[in-house]
Each structure stands twice: as structure tokens, then as C-alpha cells.
């Protein structure tokens, strides 16, 4: 095989997967956007998401800054040299990372050191299989951490919150799947897609669940029972009212695919792989001699182009329309008095400075001084994709919010210690942070998960960086922003939209407990 050409083909596959959402996924998102009631925060979120997809197309930049754990599934004809192919894929991954198409995401689990090129033990994941056909089938999924962390596995029989007993039958499986959507809330960047694996052992069950994410959104399950269950779940999960980003609304789930395999009599696992709206998976058929791409997969049918890219200020203007919530402008340093005036549901537009901080920064700040004065400032839970130009200046290539709940053990204490007034992230935070917001005078702002291009456009300059020893995603970036729009979802009066949506969705979930299925 022409291995150089194969490497080039794999590079193309990586870049397309990271920057260009497949046609079947676009159609599902468009249908959701049309269903969502105009004027709601979910509708606004979906509008931001669709704009972001278009911006990623135009900029050939990552749709979401979390480009996940690259996972390849490759079928090869007998005789293909898998060792050479593996090397070529790794080279293509390193090059795509260098070019800012992937975020450096491979971290030593014990030391936290980032390898910088996405290569390391276990990364990327490459799974080979031989087959009788005469071409190479190479598929790639980039599944980020926010949604990966919402995967869940049930061992039946089980007692499920809101639903009671789930037995070893289709009804029990139905309950597990509904519960999996409930427990994800908006934290996996809903509206999402789920792959479900019934049977196997703990590891093969999860593999089967992930395998379902390689199916086309539009396909029809050949197993009649599973087809019916997929249709049932898609319809009824959307009645839970979790909505886009967990803001409440009509669309929570965009797709459900279920597979089944045998199990041993003692075990009965239902495994669920949750994927965010940024459902980045593509595939190519490659010629085994020339290494060239012969065909792209998941690209049949109409391509939804979405709206023309909208600048940040135009999105803010759209939510300023009379029927929409008032937009409040914040510029750091922010006073306690300003913060105490904000309430859940307000839309804010930030102009001025903000500082990124993720897991490593929060841990660091809990027992060190801050490298900058954070009094009255805004912390952004974000691990951006950054590129340095030849003059040594940094540029933001993608910068959406990361899942905030990971910082729950630290957030409240850090806000009080340094006088931080606002934190921005996604998915909401818990009771400890809510109490600190009330005591200290702070707010939690929910940005739109995955809207990495939209937010990168709001960042006008990179003013500095601290703690680069933690690696690019974990460093503290000093960002100057303009018109950075987010929604107050936790305020200083003890209110939390996340807590309210979780409570109401649990009540709705409970209504499915005794519904007769089949
Ligand atoms: S859209 Fe959300 S869950 Fe998906 S990769 Fe991006 S940040 Fe993670």
C-alpha cells in the first residue's frame, strides 16, 4: 500500500470529522430546532449551535474545543499491514494536533502531564478487524469528555430512581434507557444521541453501546423489537422536558440506537453511551493499494447548511428582541451589588477580561495564591484549542465551556478566597456552590456547550497565560472578550435552574414507572 497516501487520507478523515458535522446529524439538529418553541432559552441555544456548526465549516476549525479521545474502527482486507497503518494514523493524529484541528488531549493519568500531540499509551484508540471485502473501511469518532462522563451501565435487576424496579426484560431495558437520559440532564451537552448495548460483560457491553454510535441516525433497526424500542425512547425521552443544555424544553434526545448480544446467565447489563449534539463521526472507504479515499460515509442525502454565520453581537441582538429576555452587560471587575441584581433566566453579555480555569487550576488555587488578582473577576471553565503564530502570539481556535460540576469540590471556596464574582461553564453546579453564591454574592453563567467557534469569535485577544506547565487546555488563559453571551442559571438568591429542571424531569420520569410497555 502507498502508506504516505494512506496517512494523508487519515489526516483528511480527522480534519473533516473535527470540523464538519455529518449530514445525518445535521438533519436531526435541524428537525429539533424547528420543533423547539421560538423565544425559549433552548431555542436560543439551538440557534447558537447551528451558527457554530456553520462557523466551523467556514473556518475549517473544530466544532467543539474538546476533540475527545479519537477512536478509530478499521476493517481491512486480508494481507493489509496493520502495523504500518497504525503508524500512519498516529502520524496523522500528531499533525492534525499541530495544525489546531485537534486539542492536545492525551494526559498521563498519574502525573497529569499532557503529551502535547495526542499520542500516548491508549491514545488514540485504534481497533482493527479483518474482513473479506477488498477495501479498507476506516471510521472515526471524536467523543468529548462531557458526554463520555455521562455514559452509564445498569446491572439488571435494579432499582432505579423514579422508576422503581427494572427487571430482566424489555420493560426493564426501557426503564434503564429512560433513566440514562434523565441522569445525563444537560451535562452531556444535550440534545444528545445515545447508543445502547444490551448483554455482553461490562467491557463488551460498553463496546456494543459505542458501536451503535457508528450507525446512521436515519437507519432502521432490523430487529423489530429493538426498532420499536428505539422509536418509543426517542418519543418519550423528549417528554422529560430537560431540553437543550438542560435549560428545559421540547428536545432532549436526537437519536437512539440499540444493539444486542448474548450474555452469560448470571449477568444482564444494559450499557448506554451518551453523545452530545456535537456528534462527530465519519468514515471513509480507502483503496488498499493506492491508500486513496474512494468514498465518504454518512454523507448521503441533503446537506443542511444552516444559517449564514452570525457574529457574536448579532446573536446577542437577536436575544434582545422585545419577546426575548433583557440582555445585561457585565464588565469585570464586577461589584457584589451588580451580581446581587442578577437572577436566574437573565441573559448577560460579558465584555472585558475573563480567565480560564479547569480542574488543574481549581486544585492549584485551593492551596496556592493566584498568579493574577481575581477580585471581582470572571472565571471561565474552558480548555481552549490554541495555536501560536511565528511571532509567538497565541490565537484561540476553539473555546466553548467545559462541564462545571467537576469543580464542585473547589468552586465555592475559591470564589470566596479570591473574590471571584462569576463563573461560566456548562451543565450547572451543585448545592455547595449554590450556597457559596448566596453567601458571597456570585453567579453561575451557563454558556452553550460545544459552541466553540461562536465563543472563539467573541475572544478579541489573548492578553497572557499562566501555569502553562499544566498543558494548553489546563493553563490559565487571560482572554479579552466582547459580547460573550451566557445565561444566569444559578444566582445569589438561592435559585438554580439546574436543580429545578432536575426535579421536574424526575417527576415526569416517574410517570413512566407503571406505563405498560408491550
Ligand atoms: S459538545 Fe459538550 S459534551 Fe460534546 S465534546 Fe463539546 S463540551 Fe464535550
Amino acid at each position: 500500500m502507498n502508506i504516505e497516501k494512506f496517512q494523508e487520507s487519515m489526516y483528511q478523515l480527522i480534519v473533516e470529522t473535527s470540523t464538519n458535522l455529518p449530514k445525518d446529524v445535521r438533519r436531526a439538529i435541524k428537525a429539533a430546532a424547528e420543533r423547539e418553541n421560538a423565544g425559549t432559552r433552548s431555542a436560543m441555544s439551538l440557534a447558537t449551535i447551528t451558527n457554530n456548526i456553520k462557523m466551523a465549516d467556514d473556518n475549517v476549525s473544530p466544532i467543539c474545543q474538546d476533540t475527545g479521545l479519537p477512536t478509530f474502527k478499521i476493517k481491512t482486507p486480508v494481507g493489509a499491514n496493520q502495523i504500518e497503518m497504525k503508524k500512519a494514523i498516529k502520524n496523522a493524529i500528531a499533525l492534525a494536533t499541530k495544525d489546531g484541528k485537534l486539542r492536545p488531549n492525551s494526559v498521563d493519568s498519574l502525573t497529569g502531564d499532557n503529551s502535547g500531540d495526542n499520542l500516548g499509551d491508549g491514545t488514540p484508540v485504534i481497533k482493527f478487524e479483518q474482513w473479506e471485502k477488498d477495501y479498507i473501511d476506516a471510521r472515526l469518532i471524536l467523543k468529548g469528555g462531557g458526554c463520555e462522563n455521562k455514559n452509564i451501565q445498569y446491572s439488571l435487576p435494579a432499582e432505579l430512581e423514579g422508576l422503581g424496579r427494572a427487571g430482566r426484560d424489555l420493560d426493564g431495558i426501557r426503564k434503564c434507557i429512560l433513566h440514562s437520559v434523565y441522569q445525563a440532564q444537560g451535562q452531556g451537552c444535550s440534545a444528545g444521541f445515545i447508543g445502547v448495548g444490551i448483554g455482553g460483560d461490562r467491557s463488551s457491553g460498553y463496546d456494543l453501546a459505542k458501536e451503535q454510535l457508528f450507525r446512521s441516525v436515519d437507519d432502521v433497526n432490523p430487529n423489530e423489537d429493538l426498532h420499536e424500542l428505539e422509536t418509543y425512547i426517542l418519543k418519550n425521552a423528549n417528554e422529560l422536558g430537560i431540553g437543550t443544555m438542560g435549560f428545559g424544553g421540547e428536545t432532549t434526545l436526537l437519536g437512539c440506537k440499540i444493539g444486542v448480544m448474548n450474555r452469560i446467565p448470571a449477568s444482564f447489563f444494559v450499557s448506554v453511551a451518551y453523545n452530545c449534539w456535537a456528534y462527530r463521526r465519519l468514515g471513509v472507504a480507502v483503496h488498499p493499494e493506492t491508500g486513496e479515499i474512494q468514498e465518504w460515509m454518512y454523507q448521503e442525502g441533503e446537506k443542511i447548511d444552516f444559517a449564514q454565520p452570525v457574529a457574536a453581537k448579532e446573536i446577542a441582538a437577536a436575544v434582545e428582541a422585545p419577546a426575548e429576555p433583557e440582555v445585561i452587560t457585565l464588565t469585570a471587575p464586577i461589584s457584589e451589588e451588580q451580581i446581587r441584581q442578577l437572577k436566574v433566566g437573565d441573559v448577560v453579555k460579558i465584555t472585558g477580561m475573563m480567565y480560564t480555569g479547569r480542574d488543574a487550576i481549581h486544585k492549584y488555587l485551593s492551596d496556592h495564591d493566584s498568579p493574577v488578582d481575581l477580585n471581582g473577576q470572571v472565571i471561565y471553565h474552558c480548555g481552549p484549542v490554541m495555536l501560536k503564530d511565528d511571532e509567538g502570539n497565541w490565537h484561540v481556535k476553539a473555546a466553548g465551556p467545559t462541564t462545571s460540576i467537576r469543580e464542585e469540590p473547589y468552586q465555592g471556596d475559591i470564589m470566596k478566597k479570591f473574590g471571584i464574582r462569576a463563573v461560566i461553564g456548562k451543565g450547572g453546579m451543585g448545592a455547595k456552590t449554590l450556597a457559596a453564591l448566596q453567601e458571597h454574592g456570585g453567579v453561575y453563567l451557563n454558556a452553550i456547550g460545544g459552541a466553540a467557534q461562536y465563543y472563539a469569535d467573541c475572544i478579541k485577544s489573548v492578553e497572557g497565560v499562566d501555569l502553562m506547565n499544566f498543558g494548553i487546555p489546563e493553563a490559565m488563559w487571560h482572554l479579552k472578550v466582547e459580547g460573550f453571551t451566557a445565561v444566569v442559571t444559578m444566582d445569589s438568591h438561592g435559585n438554580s435552574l439546574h436543580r429545578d429542571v432536575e426535579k421536574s424531569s424526575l417527576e415526569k420520569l416517574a410517570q413512566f414507572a407503571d406505563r405498560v410497555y408491550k
Side-chain angles (χ1 to χ4, degrees):
M1 190 211 295
N2 181 337
I3 204 70
E4 287 80 26
K5 196 71 207 168
F6 177 75
Q7 184 175 313
E8 220 176 290
S9 297
M10 291 300 99
Y11 179 84
Q12 278 181 51
L13 174 63
I14 296 162
V15 173
E16 280 295 295
T17 308
S18 178
T19 62
N20 188 354
L21 218 51
K23 286 184 181 175
D24 58 337
V25 176
R26 287 170 186 257
R27 286 193 290 270
I29 292 174
K30 179 172 181 247
E34 285 170 352
R35 266 197 313 273
E36 202 59 76
N37 291 326
T40 61
R41 281 176 192 87
S42 282
M44 181 192 97
S45 308
L46 277 164
T48 308
I49 284 169
T50 52
N51 277 302
N52 185 73
I53 294 167
K54 176 70 177 157
M55 289 167 95
D57 281 350
D58 292 348
N59 302 339
V60 196
S61 285
I63 295 162
C64 177
Q65 77 289 338
D66 185 355
T67 53
L69 171 61
T71 302
F72 292 84
K73 291 230 169 194
I74 304 190
K75 292 179 181 152
T76 59
V78 177
N81 187 334
Q82 296 182 356
I83 296 168
E84 287 295 315
M85 289 169 72
K86 204 176 209 174
K87 275 192 214 150
I89 290 171
K90 287 186 173 180
N91 290 343
I93 284 279
L95 189 58
T97 310
K98 188 165 159 276
D99 291 348
K101 309 299 180 188
L102 294 176
R103 185 175 73 181
N105 253 2
S106 177
V107 170
D108 183 303
S109 291
L110 297 182
T111 64
D113 291 345
N114 193 316
S115 70
D117 57 6
N118 269 310
L119 303 180
D121 280 349
T123 59
V125 174
I126 307 172
K127 292 184 176 170
F128 284 105
E129 199 183 313
Q130 274 193 340
W131 68 350
E132 298 287 356
K133 296 190 181 164
D134 63 357
Y135 65 92
I136 297 163
D137 178 304
R139 300 183 192 221
L140 169 65
I141 188 165
L142 300 173
K143 186 172 185 295
C147 56
E148 181 68 13
N149 292 348
K150 298 318 292 185
N151 291 357
I152 189 165
Q153 190 168 60
Y154 302 89
S155 174
L156 297 183
E159 278 296 320
L160 302 177
E161 188 185 12
L163 290 165
R165 179 155 324 135
R168 292 182 157 193
D169 52 19
L170 269 177
D171 189 62
I173 295 164
R174 165 192 78 107
K175 286 184 176 176
C176 292
I177 304 174
L178 284 172
H179 185 270
S180 74
V181 178
Y182 157 74
Q183 63 86 39
Q185 291 290 304
Q187 289 170 10
C189 290
S190 59
F193 298 80
I194 51 173
V196 181
I198 303 168
D201 63 7
R202 286 205 183 269
S203 58
S204 65
Y206 264 134
D207 270 353
L208 181 64
K210 280 202 175 172
E211 184 71 40
Q212 305 310 305
L213 296 175
F214 282 99
R215 285 171 52 191
S216 167
V217 176
D218 310 314
D219 76 359
V220 175
N221 199 317
N223 178 317
E224 189 54 37
D225 283 337
L226 297 186
H227 169 61
E228 277 179 32
L229 188 55
E230 288 173 357
T231 311
Y232 172 96
I233 294 289
L234 197 51
K235 175 175 181 295
N236 291 294
N238 283 319
E239 286 181 19
L240 296 178
I242 295 165
T244 307
M245 291 298 129
F247 289 168
E250 311 297 316
T251 305
T252 303
L253 195 65
L254 297 169
C256 172
K257 301 291 171 189
I258 308 174
V260 65
M261 59 166 47
N262 283 8
R263 59 186 170 84
I264 58 171
S267 303
F268 197 128
F269 295 111
V270 177
S271 313
V272 182
Y274 188 97
N275 206 105
C276 53
W277 68 263
Y279 184 10
R280 291 153 294 172
R281 61 99 179 83
L282 278 176
V284 284
V286 176
H287 194 282
E289 297 300 329
T290 67
E292 285 179 349
I293 294 174
Q294 295 178 304
E295 195 187 331
W296 285 87
M297 294 163 196
Y298 310 106
Q299 297 293 31
E300 310 77 28
E302 187 197 359
K303 177 167 181 177
I304 311 292
D305 197 28
F306 292 117
Q308 291 303 307
V310 177
K313 58 181 185 311
E314 292 176 83
I315 292 187
V319 293
E320 281 176 292
E324 306 290 345
E326 191 195 347
V327 176
I328 298 153
T329 302
L330 290 180
T331 307
I334 309 166
S335 69
E336 180 178 351
E337 191 192 351
Q338 280 175 291
I339 288 294
R340 294 231 182 247
Q341 283 168 8
L342 296 174
K343 54 188 187 318
V344 162
D346 286 343
V347 176
V348 302
K349 205 164 52 164
I350 297 168
T351 294
M353 289 304 296
M354 61 174 67
Y355 299 88
T356 64
R358 305 187 2 138
D359 310 48
I361 294 288
H362 280 76
K363 184 169 184 302
Y364 179 87
L365 290 180
S366 67
D367 43 31
H368 292 81
D369 267 346
S370 170
V372 288
D373 181 4
L374 291 173
N375 195 25
Q377 299 296 332
V378 180
I379 287 284
Y380 183 23
H381 297 162
C382 171
V385 178
M386 306 292 293
L387 267 193
K388 204 180 212 174
D389 65 21
D390 295 341
E391 280 85 52
N393 300 315
W394 286 102
H395 299 276
V396 182
K397 302 307 287 181
T402 192
T403 309
S404 299
I405 196 72
R406 297 196 308 271
E407 319 314 341
E408 180 68 5
Y410 308 107
Q411 195 66 77
D413 295 338
I414 286 174
M415 288 184 86
K416 287 189 258 179
K417 180 175 170 186
F418 295 103
I420 296 161
R421 290 288 168 206
V423 290
I424 309 173
K426 73 171 174 81
M429 303 195 73
K432 190 172 172 215
T433 302
L434 188 61
L437 296 179
Q438 196 165 8
E439 185 194 329
H440 161 67
V443 282
Y444 176 81
L445 304 170
N446 206 116
I448 311 303
Q453 290 306 309
Y454 164 65
Y455 288 115
D457 193 49
C458 298
I459 297 168
K460 299 306 167 194
S461 61
V462 180
E463 302 282 299
V465 60
D466 282 302
L467 301 167
M468 266 297 266
N469 51 313
F470 293 144
I472 286 177
E474 296 282 343
M476 181 187 268
W477 295 95
H478 310 184
L479 306 175
K480 194 171 210 174
V481 304
E482 201 178 294
F484 187 110
T485 307
V487 182
V488 178
T489 53
M490 294 167 71
D491 64 22
S492 61
H493 311 289
N495 302 309
S496 166
L497 178 69
H498 308 283
R499 185 188 57 198
D500 294 351
V501 170
E502 189 168 346
K503 185 165 172 278
S504 66
S505 59
L506 181 61
E507 285 162 12
K508 288 176 184 147
L509 183 72
Q511 293 169 9
F512 289 97
D514 299 321
R515 284 202 196 166
V516 179
Y517 181 69
K518 293 195 73 126

